[in-house]
Amino acid sequence: MTISGISGGYSGYGNVGRGSAVGGPKIEARSDVDSVREKGLVAFARDAKKTAWEEKLKQWREEAMKAMGLTQDRLDAMPSEQRSAALKMVEEAVQQKIKDALESARKQGKDGVSVPQFVDMSV
């Protein structure tokens, strides 16, 4: 039995998902393995940990602002003294989240629950 119209390893589908539509942006897919090969495992792990913390801090900042009824537009419209006070309150809330997260991780470690850690082998 022969199937016509499919040749060369599904050549008609070669760029599906890469933004290859006419006029569309070309997006290069990049895997973690490629990043490890380029940077090395230690640098990759350090960057991954940094990115995870940056995302978590951003999330906590957004949560604190939302809890206080603040938006970036509202902050921008505030007089500088009021804005500074509001930002200080947001920063304090984020700092408390950091303390809570670290304490929780310490407690889990003492209770025998494994807390994932990246090994930092830098010298």
Side-chain angles (χ1 to χ4, degrees), residues 19-25:
S20 62
V22 176

Side-chain angles (χ1 to χ4, degrees), residues 10 19-20 28 32 55 57 85 87 93:
Y10 304 102
S20 62
E28 291 293 324
D32 289 346
E55 290 173 4
L57 290 173
L87 288 174

Side-chain angles (χ1 to χ4, degrees), residues 8 25 38 49 67 82 92 97 104 109 112 115:
E38 180 182 312
K49 186 175 183 180
Q82 187 179 8
E92 289 171 357
K97 287 277 195 175
S104 176
V115 178

Side-chain angles (χ1 to χ4, degrees), residues 32-54 116-122:
D32 289 346
V33 174
D34 293 334
S35 294
V36 169
R37 286 181 181 143
E38 180 182 312
K39 299 177 182 179
L41 182 59
V42 173
F44 172 79
R46 182 179 53 240
D47 290 350
K49 186 175 183 180
K50 179 183 174 189
T51 301
W53 265 108
E54 288 171 348
Q117 296 286 328
F118 284 108
V119 176
D120 187 359
M121 299 173 66
S122 59

Side-chain angles (χ1 to χ4, degrees), residues 53-71:
W53 265 108
E54 288 171 348
E55 290 173 4
K56 186 54 87 173
L57 290 173
K58 181 180 177 184
Q59 175 189 351
W60 286 339
R61 184 176 189 271
E62 289 171 357
E63 288 173 0
M65 287 179 62
K66 185 176 179 181
M68 295 176 192
L70 296 173
T71 64

